[in-house]
Amino acid sequence: MTAPDVAVRPVHQRSTGTRLTLWLSRLGWRHAVMWVVAAFAVFPVLFVVSAALNPVGTLSSSQLWPTGASLANARELFQNTPFTTWYANSLFFALTNAAVTVLLSALAAYAFSRMRFKGRRVGLIGLLVIQMFPQFLAIVAIYLMFSNIGEVYPVIGFDTRWGLLLVYLGGALSINTWLMKGFFDTVPRELDESAQMDGATHAQVFFRIMLPLVTPVLAIVALLVFINTINEFLMASVFLRDTASQTLGLGLYQLVDSQRNANFGMFAVGALMLSLPTLIVFWFLQRYISEGLTSGAVKG
């Protein structure tokens, strides 16, 4: 072994050790945090999947890693409960509330952003103030209100889709209108003015020019409203008392309310089925999510 070889090797070893130390200090801790967060997020999913496939179908027998695989829980859920009705009700509320909220919020945001009228500033501040208070604080007042309304107009009373949908719309319009208003402010006014000079009406400017330009915020609002509605439980538990009109969240709660241990397998299957629409909507709108969350914060 020559003298130069002996001199070069320690330098190479020190260089490798230095690079490893620098990588651990700069990036290694980020990878460690990422794995911890990933494990924290995946753990409940694995447990629910294991419980859904558990042949016994009880909470006490469920484990993180399934000891067997069976579709018995799914068969019992479909055969012994009105699962399809619950599922259809949840999809109706989520899809309808998302679509109507996007339309009404966009119309209100366009008015606040492009028009100047008396009470505009007070209206914007009022939207923020109303949003500061959770909707469940008004649950008693809403209950008494719809008790009286249901006697006159039964179609929007308790155990009806349209009554609960009105409550959902009232709680979702304020913050979404403010979010869209900030996004509308980023669109140059010259586009509106040039279109109006060519003879376009406000409706034509809104539907043909503004909406295609603000598609990202429409997508993100639709996604957020869809997720909040399909997972909502409190208001639905007050308005929907009949089994046939309940959502999937209410139906699954009844399965484990009195017999949590015995029906946990069916509850896990229903929870997995309830997550599928959210995943589909998220996959469909994912290209708009990043842009929609950031662009609306440029102007207020």
Side-chain angles (χ1 to χ4, degrees), residues 50-62 67-70 72-73 76 261-266:
S50 175
L53 298 177
N54 182 18
V56 181
T58 60
L59 177 60
S60 59
S61 63
S62 300
T67 56
S70 173
N73 294 322
E76 291 183 9
N261 184 62
N263 297 328
F264 188 75
M266 292 191 293

Side-chain angles (χ1 to χ4, degrees), residues 137-287:
L137 291 179
I139 192 169
V140 175
I142 294 175
Y143 179 85
L144 296 176
M145 182 187 305
F146 276 86
S147 296
N148 297 327
I149 293 176
E151 296 178 357
V152 181
Y153 302 102
V155 69
I156 57 175
F158 293 111
D159 293 323
T160 62
R161 290 181 172 182
W162 304 111
L164 182 58
L165 186 61
L166 288 176
V167 177
Y168 285 156
L169 289 174
L173 289 178
S174 57
I175 187 61
N176 294 316
T177 299
W178 184 268
L179 176 63
M180 287 190 180
K181 187 262 180 186
F183 205 102
F184 275 106
D185 288 343
T186 63
V187 180
R189 292 180 176 271
E190 289 76 8
L191 296 176
D192 303 25
E193 296 173 355
S194 61
Q196 291 175 357
M197 291 179 63
D198 292 336
T201 62
H202 285 294
Q204 291 173 331
V205 171
F206 176 75
F207 287 104
R208 296 185 179 182
I209 297 177
M210 298 296 293
L211 286 188
L213 294 176
V214 298
T215 301
V217 75
L218 300 181
I220 194 62
V221 168
L223 177 64
L224 294 177
V225 174
F226 182 90
I227 294 175
N228 291 334
T229 305
I230 203 169
N231 294 324
E232 203 280 327
F233 174 81
L234 183 61
M235 287 295 177
S237 64
V238 174
F239 273 78
L240 305 178
R241 297 166 294 185
D242 184 30
T243 303
S245 63
Q246 292 177 347
T247 60
L248 184 56
L250 284 177
L252 294 179
Y253 172 76
Q254 293 179 357
L255 292 178
V256 297
D257 184 25
S258 58
Q259 300 182 20
R260 180 174 305 174
N261 184 62
N263 297 328
F264 188 75
M266 292 191 293
F267 177 85
V269 174
L272 292 177
M273 293 291 294
L274 188 60
S275 66
L276 293 180
T278 302
L279 294 176
I280 294 173
V281 173
F282 181 83
W283 176 82
F284 181 73
L285 300 177
Q286 61 179 335
R287 57 179 176 173

Side-chain angles (χ1 to χ4, degrees), residues 69-91:
S70 173
L71 297 178
N73 294 322
R75 287 194 297 268
E76 291 183 9
L77 181 64
F78 280 93
Q79 294 175 0
N80 300 333
T81 64
F83 175 80
T84 54
T85 301
W86 294 342
Y87 204 79
N89 291 337
S90 295
L91 291 179

